[in-house]
Amino acid sequence: MNRFKTSKFKNTTPKIAKKDEWINNVRAGSFACQGNHIKASSKLVAFNTEQAGGGMLGLSSVQPGSDGQRAVTQISCHSDLVTDMDFSPFDESLLATCSVDETVKLWRLCDLAQEQSSSPELTLRSGQGRLELVLFHPTSSGLLAVGTTKSAQIWDTNCQEAPLAVLEQHGDQVQSLGWKLDGSLLASSCKDKMIRVFDPRAQLAPVQSAKSLQSNKDSRILWTKDDFLLTTGFDTMRSREVRLWDSRKLSSSLSSVSLGTSSGTLIPLFDEDTGLLLLAGMGNTGIDCFEVSSSEPFLSQVSHCLTDTSTKGIALVPKLALDVMSCEVVRVLQLTDSCIVPISYQVPRKNSGHEFHDDLYPDTVGTTPAMSAEEWWKGGNKQVERVSLHPDKRPKQKAAPAKQTPAKKEVASGGSKEDQARDCSTSSSPLSTPSSSAAPSRSPSSTSGLSSGFVPSPSPSQSAKAFQNLMGPTSKFRHIQGTVMHRDTHITNIRGLNLTTPGECDGFCVNRQRVAVPLAIAGGQIAVFERSQPGKLPDTALPTIQNSVNVADFAWDPFDTHRLAVAGDDAKIRVWQVPEGGLKETLTEPKIIMQGHTEKIYSIKFHPLASGVLVSSSYDLTVRLWNLETGKQVKVLDGHQDQVFGMAWSPDGKLLATVCKDGKVRIYDPRKSTSPLQEGPGPEGHRGARVVWVCDGKYLLVSGFDSRSERGLYLYSASSLSSGAVSSVPVNVSPSTLIPYYDPDTSVVILTGKGDTRVYIYEIFPEDPYFIECSSFNSPEPHKGLAFLPKTECNVRDVEVAVGLMLTKTTIEPVAFKVPRVKKEFFQDDVYSDTAVWWEPALTGSAWLSGSNGLHKKISLKPKDMTPVSEAPKEAPVRKYLPSSVYLEEKTDEQKKDELLNAMVAKLGNMDDPLPQESFEGVDEDEWDD
């Protein structure tokens, strides 16, 4: 007999919630990533938003509050687009996210009445570029599948240094991952049209694979019952289709269904208990429901739900959150542009609302993990214990306690680990998962971690550190936004750009008035463009500076916008004077030629305070100081055993720091000694490095490579180089050296490499945590360099904190970095401190060489017609959220009915009460007019 005809779910009916039950104030973005854009636990729902470049997530509650409303808040998760997210099946408050910023982060979320922590509980770095997918294991705690661009990784969060397994590379982009329901296998669909099935514990190569998909356009994959795989995608005619496969034989599908032509990705959701499959197309207004069976017809349509608005993503609400007394068997949350719409699928039954229909609700998967990640990796195949959905039999969940003060926290730490784990605001264990009474928490000595399998309980000092991190520094620049300015400000049609400048060269250099760009023309030619003359350059030849030899590095004099120093392959430094108004004819004779090095020069740097002082490094392993007033060499610094990667003057101009290929970071006092004042271990990699002074000259920031050629940032105390880096942060894997620009006013460092598309931004602190990552900026195409202008070029009315020029193959484009602020009519004096006038010398080169020192004068950036925001009128605080007691209070249906009746009676009034007009006294007879 056909299973569909006898199915108890054949009449399942979708019911769209009333508009007053929708989650509003949602700003969903449109992002190019493989995730579903929305996920739900029994308590919370998380979704992508368009804010901060997609690096923020929205949060709301699955169940409405006592007023019928759901509050919406946001959490800043990543410095770039959040590509996917997943709630732990064993902890309704534990959320995993992954991002374009190449990290996976785990977040301990609180009730919406409490403030969410800005720090993740755990960060994993894959080292394989952009991450697209993250998926918790269905039976084991602390186990994640992470999808990179062309591979999948298996992570045990107890082992944060490296993944358990990196599966074999796919032929193209991985589009979807899916765990088998028993957790034994992992399936993937790929842009190369292949379906792959992996047994990660047995081998890194797939155990089954076939080129079975019809199109390379967006596909999705998931497991159903009985070893069946289900894929969604497109056929050769670009029509959306659903296919069911036997995972043991992927050469041909068991069944397929076509759902018409549309460009939107088809997202599948499967409910194991009912066998119902929900399908929604991105950008479409319909949700289809099918029943999946293990025999023909395999896929049988149950319903089609037409929604009011187009879909941005859909998520299933876990079974334990359903209204079983109303015969609700599935609930879907539809993400749209401005709201989240709950859609309930109910089976029509008599006595619905008064009787539990156990034939509709088999025991469902519980919330206690069957084993730890370590047990699974060693071959365990235990299954999660199932629980009843009957209201009288389901496990009771304890409400999270209200946020406590630090004084009370000490008392709480003496309670049970289970109680501590439930208090997300005061938990001493970063990733502890609440356990049921059947599986109490275990101590780190008896297992590899707590019952969650994430990390063992930290020591008291670690707890204190965690609390310090929670309450420690936060960055006002975290959501900084980079924006390419209007095309009218661009210089376009640059022809013959030299794309092969040495790694020690920044690629091009700028000052307030002009830009110098190297050209791939014989004779080491440099073009000079006036910033006051943007637009398209003529196709004809332009006047240039001809150096007659290949250019190694070049730099503008910070105190003379017309003077350009150029280092060549012939070990000479040429100093050129650009005429007023820019180049009108080709220059062939420099003003000064300085010679002293015996081999090719690496790089040159002007002194930041003294006019006419220049430093250079060379293949002859020396660093030399030059006085441009005399055109002579004045000092030769030694001590380097290999190539000098980078040099930097201290902010006060007294010291010079270098980073070298011999693995050392050195500090010199050039006027006192030719030998290093200090030296210490630098980055282990030998591909390149840069150095810059930060935090008022107290620290050195070095960008370089580790032993695995991964780019990273290293912070050194300038008073103790021999102690090594006090802190470091990995960035990503890329061949180009990160070139840093440091703003001493904000302590923000902006970094990018030649050929990169991404600009990284960090705020640097002189104490723990040292680095706070801010939102990054992505250029539409690889850039060849990024150079910055003086602070006076920033538009403070638009809260610009840095303005740079970005060099591409054919253009120079200004990029403004802004801090989002609401009260832009006020001068943001917390962002803009007085800035140094570093474009004016503090003393002459001769005076500095003779031992004198100086400091730049400072100016305020505040316009005369703006009031500082610190002096703005104070506004009365507005409570954003309802008190936690509203969310934590649970009421029975009878209590709700009584409250509703009482409210209606109070509104209508008591019929026995006298009417208001009966108390009126009227007027006296003599008051009537005759």
Side-chain angles (χ1 to χ4, degrees), residues 437-746:
S437 58
S441 300
R442 292 167 288 179
S443 67
S445 61
S446 62
T447 183
S448 60
L450 293 178
S451 59
S452 65
F454 288 120
V455 293
S457 297
S459 64
S461 61
Q462 290 174 314
S463 300
K465 186 175 182 181
F467 181 73
Q468 180 185 356
N469 288 339
L470 183 64
M471 305 302 292
T474 57
S475 175
K476 62 175 72 74
F477 307 102
R478 183 159 192 160
H479 304 301
I480 191 171
Q481 299 171 351
T483 306
V484 178
M485 293 187 182
H486 192 273
R487 188 175 177 82
D488 291 346
T489 64
H490 298 187
I491 298 173
T492 62
N493 198 36
I494 299 176
R495 302 160 69 91
L497 180 67
N498 184 3
L499 303 177
T500 59
T501 53
E504 293 73 35
C505 175
D506 290 352
F508 77 125
C509 60
V510 306
N511 61 32
R512 286 175 294 167
Q513 296 182 359
R514 47 190 59 92
V515 186
V517 176
L519 301 178
I521 303 174
Q525 298 189 41
I526 296 175
V528 177
F529 307 123
E530 298 297 304
R531 289 192 58 232
S532 59
Q533 300 172 17
K536 183 178 180 180
L537 298 173
D539 293 334
T540 56
L542 297 171
T544 61
I545 295 174
Q546 292 188 357
N547 290 277
S548 72
V549 296
N550 290 335
V551 173
D553 195 16
F554 52 106
W556 289 108
D557 187 331
F559 312 124
D560 185 346
T561 58
H562 299 273
R563 185 153 69 172
L564 180 71
V566 181
D569 278 356
D570 59 355
K572 295 178 182 179
I573 298 174
R574 294 168 173 83
V575 181
W576 302 86
Q577 195 74 19
V578 177
E580 192 71 35
L583 289 181
K584 305 300 181 184
E585 59 183 5
T586 296
L587 299 184
T588 57
E589 293 296 329
K591 292 293 182 181
I592 306 172
I593 298 179
M594 299 185 295
Q595 187 169 3
H597 284 294
T598 58
E599 294 188 46
K600 174 183 173 181
I601 298 172
Y602 294 130
S603 60
I604 55 177
K605 286 283 188 296
F606 276 96
H607 195 279
L609 291 157
S611 61
V613 175
L614 187 74
V615 64
S616 62
S617 62
S618 165
Y619 275 82
D620 61 16
L621 306 185
T622 65
V623 173
R624 303 181 184 233
L625 265 66
W626 308 84
N627 185 353
L628 271 61
E629 295 175 6
T630 62
K632 301 295 182 181
Q633 169 186 303
V634 293
K635 290 282 184 180
V636 180
L637 308 182
D638 52 31
H640 297 94
Q641 306 301 315
D642 209 326
Q643 177 182 354
V644 178
F645 284 142
M647 305 179 294
W649 289 102
S650 62
D652 59 10
K654 297 178 182 179
L655 304 174
L656 179 73
T658 66
V659 58
C660 183
K661 192 175 181 179
D662 62 11
K664 298 289 186 181
V665 179
R666 296 176 174 88
I667 293 179
Y668 290 83
D669 188 341
R671 294 177 295 182
K672 294 182 179 179
S673 174
T674 60
S675 298
L677 189 67
Q678 287 189 69
E679 69 175 39
E684 296 179 2
H686 303 298
R687 304 189 63 153
R690 294 297 177 93
V691 62
V692 65
W693 296 75
V694 299
C695 301
D696 298 322
K698 297 176 183 177
Y699 289 88
L700 288 175
L701 177 68
V702 176
S703 66
F705 296 82
D706 64 13
S707 57
R708 299 176 298 174
S709 295
E710 182 177 4
R711 296 195 296 191
L713 303 180
Y714 305 85
L715 196 65
Y716 298 84
S717 172
S719 61
S720 180
L721 288 185
S722 60
S723 301
V726 298
S727 183
S728 64
V729 56
V731 179
N732 70 343
V733 177
S734 182
S736 60
T737 305
L738 287 170
I739 302 171
Y741 162 76
Y742 177 72
D743 178 18
D745 298 342
T746 60

Side-chain angles (χ1 to χ4, degrees), residues 312-325:
K312 291 286 187 180
I314 58 171
L316 273 182
V317 174
K319 215 70 173 183
L320 290 170
L322 300 184
D323 183 4
V324 295
M325 298 304 293

